[in-house]
Amino acid sequence: MNRDNNDTASLLSIRHLSSEYTSRNYGLFGKKHIKKVLHDINLDIYPGEIFGLVGESGCGKTTLARCILNLTAYQGDIFLDGKNYASRLERARLVQMVFQDPGASLNPVKKIGWLLEEPLVIHRMGTPEERAALVDETLTRVGLDPSYKKRRVTELSGGQKQRICIGRALILKPKLLIADEAVSALDVSVGAQILNLFRDLHESLGLSVLFISHNMNAVEYLCDRVAVMQDGKLSPPAPV
Ligand SMILES: Nc1ncnc2c1ncn2[C@@H]1O[C@H](COP(=O)(O)OP(=O)(O)O)[C@@H](O)[C@H]1O
Ligand SMILES: [Mg+2]
């Protein structure tokens, strides 16, 4: 299905989205459980906007982010730039995500240069020379410098690791970055620096950000609009 949406002004447009998890008890005749997690979600995010999504732990925020990337099954429609992309790879070109624990998403065996180049290789983008130049540019953009490409993950602080994760997301030049509790595991001062990095990237690249957090202070500092999720339902967005 590749139905197009009329509302081409939105970068991300979610219509009547629901999602559920199915599990089974052990055994041949294990009973099937269906747990509804998201109920009739409607949301628009516009180009260049920083949108906050807040709500208690377990209310469904990460599930919504995973639906946007098509990593979790859902009912309803998700339009990106007005199009209903079915493949994960196509969506990943437009939307990238950064997670809470930067250490967990980086392979400790590889050098930083390799880790930054990997998304380009997966998406078959650029020549080796172009990719090397983009790695240098990206390191600078996330507040590090090209000398970091020779280091390994174990030689970096938590904040530096998160900068690398943000770099891996940015190197594909997405239009929307989803930050899922991306500063929650960091010390307050380091978290504040990462918030400022999101703001810089938003200003210099016109990047849109879906900032998911349970920290209202961070949302107030960074976001243009905010919506509250409760038990899988979303409040109408309000200006911050
Ligand atoms: N893979 C899964 N299988 C079954 N239930 C899940 C799975 N992932 C999350 N859940 C449940 O779905 C609900 C929403 O989870 P999640 O989206 O991670 O919430 P949040 O990010 O807001 O903390 C929770 O009750 C959680 O236990
Ligand atoms: Mg979560």
Side-chain angles (χ1 to χ4, degrees):
M1 184 173 63
N2 216 1
R3 243 184 312 136
D4 285 357
N5 184 20
N6 295 328
D7 190 359
T8 46
S10 311
L11 173 56
L12 168 70
S13 185
I14 299 179
R15 292 290 175 271
H16 304 296
L17 179 141
S18 339
S19 182
E20 60 205 24
Y21 290 108
T22 322
S23 60
R24 247 175 220 290
N25 288 350
Y26 288 113
L28 193 56
F29 302 106
K31 200 167 175 295
K32 190 170 156 184
H33 296 278
I34 293 177
K35 178 177 177 176
K36 283 206 147 268
V37 176
L38 298 175
H39 309 266
D40 194 28
I41 304 283
N42 292 286
L43 175 67
D44 283 282
I45 295 181
Y46 298 99
E49 177 171 54
I50 306 190
F51 192 95
L53 174 61
V54 294
E56 283 179 13
S57 179
C59 70
K61 303 181 300 294
T62 296
T63 303
L64 180 62
R66 290 179 54 88
C67 290
I68 295 169
L69 287 159
N70 209 4
L71 300 172
T72 290
Y74 59 87
Q75 296 85 49
D77 288 308
I78 296 178
F79 302 98
L80 287 164
D81 260 348
K83 292 191 191 63
N84 195 344
Y85 292 107
S87 91
R88 283 179 193 170
L89 216 59
E90 279 176 308
R91 288 204 200 182
R93 293 288 290 272
L94 287 165
V95 186
Q96 283 285 312
M97 188 153 158
V98 179
F99 301 90
Q100 175 165 1
D101 181 357
S105 44
L106 297 173
N107 183 342
V109 177
K110 301 292 184 187
K111 294 220 169 100
I112 300 304
W114 189 95
L115 289 169
L116 283 169
E117 194 182 347
E118 188 189 23
L120 297 171
V121 174
I122 291 172
H123 288 264
R124 298 169 192 275
M125 287 162 78
T127 62
E129 295 73 29
E130 286 165 344
R131 293 202 293 263
L134 257 178
V135 166
D136 287 1
E137 184 193 313
T138 302
L139 277 167
T140 309
R141 216 177 253 302
V142 297
L144 301 172
D145 66 69
S147 73
Y148 278 82
K149 65 190 167 199
K150 300 214 168 59
R151 298 209 203 177
R152 286 181 208 280
V153 177
T154 46
E155 297 165 47
L156 303 185
S157 69
Q160 288 170 333
K161 285 181 201 165
Q162 193 59 296
R163 288 176 193 269
I164 299 299
C165 292
I166 295 167
R168 269 168 65 90
L170 283 183
I171 204 159
L172 292 169
K173 302 198 189 310
K175 292 192 175 173
L176 177 66
L177 184 69
I178 303 180
D180 188 1
E181 304 282 6
V183 299
S184 306
L186 303 171
D187 291 346
V188 174
S189 65
V190 178
Q193 289 165 10
I194 299 291
L195 286 185
N196 283 330
L197 175 61
F198 285 132
R199 176 167 277 184
D200 289 348
L201 294 170
H202 162 253
E203 281 166 10
S204 60
L205 302 172
L207 188 69
S208 304
V209 181
L210 172 55
F211 184 77
I212 301 177
S213 182
H214 62 264
N215 179 344
M216 211 46 214
N217 289 332
V219 169
E220 275 176 12
Y221 176 72
L222 194 67
C223 300
D224 304 312
R225 290 192 302 151
V226 62
V228 181
M229 187 178 276
Q230 201 171 18
D231 292 335
K233 298 193 185 80
L234 202 61
S235 73
V240 175

